[in-house]
Amino acid sequence: QAVTVEVLDRLEQLALVDFRDAEGVERLRKAVRFAAELQEVNTEGVEPMASVLEDRCLYLREDDVTEGNCTNELLKNAREKVEEYFVAPPGNIPLPKLEERETFLKGS
Amino acid sequence: VLNRRCVEAAVMTGLALNCSINKKSLFDRKHYFYADLPAGYQITQQRVPIAVNGSLSYSLCKDNKMSQMVTKTVRIKQIQLEQDSGKSLHDDTRNQTLVDLNRAGVGLMEVVMEPDMCCGEEAAAAVRELQLILQTLGSSQAVMAEGQLRVDANVSVHHPGEPYGVRTEVKNINSIRFLAKAVDYEIQRQIEELENGGTILNETRAFDSKLGCTVPMRDKEGKQDYRFMPEPNLPPLILYDAKSLPANMNHQQVVNIDWINERLPDLPSVKRAKLVERYGILPEHSFALLNEDGLTEFFENVVKQTRMKPKKVIGWILNVLLSYLKQHSLTVKESPVSSVLMADLLNLLEKKEISSTAAKQVLAELWKGEGKTPLEIVKEKKLELIQDQEELEQICQAVIDGQENE
């Protein structure tokens, strides 16, 4: 699967990353090639591992209130607020389409 | 950090819904951007959820007649644990969204059903039964109006024998009544659209309760790619049973499925069967009793304090008391007539000291809540049945004489 401009464009939209320049894109391509080496390993009959910590015990906490009452602290983070609500635009503001964006990808 | 109570509630609910509990379940991250999701991802169980393959049985009144109840079943695909997002309030006048993050991160249990229901009535009945089960288990108080139970309906239509059509997801349904309306509206809308040669888009729609219709929801632009990945901070959730119980683990860290199973309370269906067996009432009576919060208790209290047979008492509770409550929009707890007063009244009736009609008059008086007892009201309004044969003959004779004079 080639890392095409379409794929890069989609990644920029989905993850809001910015492939700033040729170096950024090349780094991504190298990373994909490196990860692809994993395909060479024979994993037949082997359970996939999600993380090196997967044998650890999942800690279950008691259903007790241990923190909170920090409304003012949290609201300090708000650029704009109304009573105790954070104010946000009416919906997601999507990234402009490739043609209208200031991105290195346009040139490629 | 995972809350133990969430796990217990999910296991209880899974057991109550006849699911297989996965002794090992996993957590994943679901990525998307929205103002009410501060982290930019939601922790959920996409690969292996905590419970799978269950069923929920519910009853429907055939042709709206309580006497003809049918039992239906909907399969439960899975139950998964996940995080809640914050709450968004849309302020269209000022073109902004207000976000309340208080509930962000709180544990949620999502119950996914298979498409086994065919209309609004079935969906409503199934969800109502689920609501009763959740309340009985204590998993949730399941009040839809307060967002404690949220329902998203997935609707599609197809001709018999053909594969399922494209489905739409309907959100913003705030009550069982609206659920039935939303589903039926959407079915109609899709049928009309297809009959007019149109197509159904796989979209998300919102139910507008004021207009009684569904409208496309903004912001569901294109196909979402959630980029699921294993949640790195949460190792697998391991549940135990009597056989697999580890010897030297801290009790507080162990969730034992068998222990929970042994302590499951009677589910609504079991409670209904017990009421029918114990009191000789009909299944539809027990259905009506469980359907109103506190009514079963009221009924049982009255039965305890009166000699009247339960089969007769039930009529007074369901036909008379319940309709009074509905007329005045009161809950059983708010009833001006207590079970004690009700029992007193029914005793007078049972002893044939008053007639059925008189009893209804007394009840109307009692409803005013002026603190009088049934006996006091009977005496006050002279509603006693006349037992004296001679007196009755005199009255009848007087009426006949009166007629002859006309």
Side-chain angles (χ1 to χ4, degrees):
Chain A
Q1 230 187 2
V3 177
T4 62
V5 175
E6 284 77 30
V7 169
L8 294 170
D9 176 33
R10 189 93 177 97
L11 281 175
E12 285 201 343
Q13 281 178 39
L14 275 180
L16 295 185
V17 292
D18 182 356
F19 295 106
R20 197 91 3 136
D21 51 25
E23 204 188 322
V25 175
E26 185 51 29
R27 210 174 303 134
L28 176 69
R29 290 207 164 99
K30 281 206 175 109
V32 172
R33 255 176 273 147
F34 178 57
E37 288 178 32
L38 289 172
Q39 310 278 26
E40 297 181 29
V41 181
N42 182 358
T43 55
E44 221 177 284
V46 180
E47 275 294 304
M49 180 180 83
S51 119
V52 288
L53 299 172
E54 67 181 22
D55 285 334
R56 295 272 186 95
C57 191
L58 173 57
Y59 175 71
L60 297 173
R61 74 184 291 271
E62 279 301 311
D63 192 32
D64 296 323
V65 177
T66 54
E67 56 183 10
N69 289 322
C70 49
T71 315
N72 289 329
E73 284 291 311
L74 293 175
L75 285 175
K76 280 188 196 150
N77 288 323
R79 190 176 70 161
E80 232 192 287
K81 57 180 183 238
V82 168
E83 289 169 26
E84 292 194 336
Y85 293 94
F86 291 89
V87 177
N92 281 353
I93 300 169
L95 213 52
K97 293 219 178 2
L98 187 53
E99 306 83 63
E100 294 144 36
R101 233 161 51 230
E102 284 289 309
T103 169
F104 161 75
L105 292 181
K106 268 206 290 201
S108 1
Chain B
V1 181
L2 184 55
N3 179 313
R4 189 205 155 83
R5 186 76 183 83
C6 291
V7 179
E8 290 173 352
V11 173
M12 269 200 292
T13 309
L15 291 169
L17 295 178
N18 305 307
C19 295
S20 307
I21 307 292
N22 284 326
K23 296 239 226 353
K24 179 174 177 187
S25 61
L26 307 170
F27 292 98
D28 305 288
R29 281 191 190 178
K30 179 178 179 182
H31 300 83
Y32 65 95
F33 292 115
Y34 206 64
D36 63 17
L37 197 68
Y41 65 86
Q42 175 199 32
I43 299 181
T44 176
Q45 294 188 301
Q46 194 252 355
R47 286 168 295 156
V48 185
I50 190 168
V52 291
N53 294 340
S55 66
L56 168 64
S57 293
Y58 60 97
S59 300
L60 271 186
C61 301
K62 203 170 160 204
D63 302 327
N64 255 331
K65 283 190 233 153
M66 275 296 256
S67 49
Q68 298 204 36
M69 298 191 74
V70 265
T71 303
K72 293 210 162 221
T73 310
V74 54
R75 289 166 297 159
I76 303 293
K77 177 156 190 264
Q78 65 189 50
I79 297 180
Q80 71 215 37
L81 285 169
E82 51 182 46
Q83 287 180 310
D84 204 351
S85 65
K87 179 97 177 87
S88 295
L89 292 175
H90 298 289
D91 182 0
D92 295 319
T93 46
R94 285 184 205 77
N95 208 34
Q96 61 190 16
T97 295
L98 301 178
V99 179
D100 173 359
L101 292 178
N102 275 303
R103 66 173 209 207
V106 170
L108 273 184
M109 187 170 59
E110 178 165 326
V111 178
V112 184
M113 299 181 181
E114 299 282 10
D116 296 339
M117 297 164 284
C118 72
C119 62
E121 198 193 350
E122 288 190 6
V127 171
R128 175 73 182 123
E129 188 67 8
L130 178 62
Q131 200 179 36
L132 287 173
I133 291 175
L134 292 172
Q135 288 167 346
T136 304
L137 292 174
S139 294
S140 168
Q141 287 172 319
V143 176
M144 278 181 81
E146 314 226 332
Q148 295 167 352
L149 171 65
R150 289 170 239 163
V151 180
D152 294 335
N154 290 284
V155 183
S156 75
V157 297
H158 65 278
H159 286 299
E162 286 179 14
Y164 282 30
V166 175
R167 67 174 164 86
T168 61
E169 183 174 8
V170 182
K171 288 175 168 284
N172 195 39
I173 298 169
N174 300 325
S175 77
I176 306 252
R177 251 187 67 233
F178 286 149
L179 171 59
K181 278 198 168 153
V183 168
D184 287 335
Y185 173 86
E186 183 61 15
I187 291 175
Q188 263 320 108
R189 186 194 75 85
Q190 290 192 10
I191 291 177
E192 275 168 26
E193 181 69 31
L194 290 170
E195 280 178 351
N196 289 335
T199 53
I200 307 298
L201 295 169
N202 176 214
E203 60 177 346
T204 304
R205 299 175 73 88
F207 179 65
D208 184 325
S209 47
K210 283 195 210 107
L211 300 172
C213 65
T214 64
V215 293
M217 245 172 117
R218 106 199 98 199
D219 249 350
K220 302 292 165 170
E221 83 273 346
K223 202 83 164 76
Q224 286 276 11
D225 181 346
Y226 294 114
R227 291 170 292 138
F228 284 101
M229 75 179 225
E231 169 54 56
N233 296 324
L234 296 176
L237 173 61
I238 311 289
L239 302 170
Y240 301 95
D241 55 21
K243 269 188 268 178
S244 65
L245 214 46
N248 47 3
M249 231 178 110
N250 178 1
H251 269 240
Q252 195 269 339
Q253 291 299 314
V254 172
V255 175
N256 182 341
I257 301 169
D258 288 338
W259 190 90
I260 293 175
N261 204 10
E262 282 157 29
R263 282 156 188 75
L264 282 181
D266 276 350
L267 292 181
S269 51
V270 173
K271 283 193 197 169
R272 288 185 197 117
K274 283 190 176 173
L275 286 170
V276 168
E277 217 215 290
R278 191 163 171 198
Y279 298 110
I281 56 178
L282 296 173
E284 64 247 32
H285 294 154
S286 67
F287 191 83
L289 281 179
L290 257 71
N291 204 37
E292 191 66 34
D293 192 27
L295 196 57
T296 307
E297 210 188 321
F298 191 99
F299 167 71
E300 293 194 292
N301 284 340
V302 171
V303 166
K304 258 186 259 179
Q305 299 169 84
T306 176
R307 271 190 225 119
M308 183 182 279
K309 289 221 164 28
K311 276 194 236 194
K312 278 183 81 180
V313 175
I314 193 75
W316 282 90
I317 300 294
L318 293 180
N319 301 332
V320 189
L321 178 74
L322 192 56
S323 61
Y324 262 103
L325 288 172
K326 290 295 170 202
Q327 256 172 39
H328 294 90
S329 295
L330 294 172
T331 62
V332 174
K333 289 188 175 51
E334 295 165 340
S335 170
V337 179
S338 66
S339 56
V340 177
L341 289 177
M342 193 73 189
D344 279 350
L345 176 60
L346 294 181
N347 277 336
L348 291 176
L349 183 56
E350 187 66 7
K351 284 189 274 181
K352 300 212 203 287
E353 285 179 34
I354 55 174
S355 70
S356 185
T357 324
K360 290 200 179 130
Q361 279 178 268
V362 176
L363 187 58
E365 262 316 293
L366 283 173
W367 199 264
K368 294 184 191 157
E370 286 164 6
K372 296 184 214 155
T373 66
L375 199 53
E376 281 166 7
I377 298 172
V378 167
K379 289 214 166 13
E380 213 179 270
K381 294 193 174 261
K382 298 209 179 37
L383 292 168
E384 309 95 324
L385 277 179
I386 303 169
Q387 311 281 14
D388 186 347
Q389 177 88 345
E390 230 182 85
E391 206 186 328
L392 285 169
E393 280 179 6
Q394 280 176 6
I395 296 174
C396 291
Q397 192 62 49
V399 172
I400 294 169
D401 293 340
Q403 289 290 334
E404 281 177 353
N405 289 339
E406 277 173 24

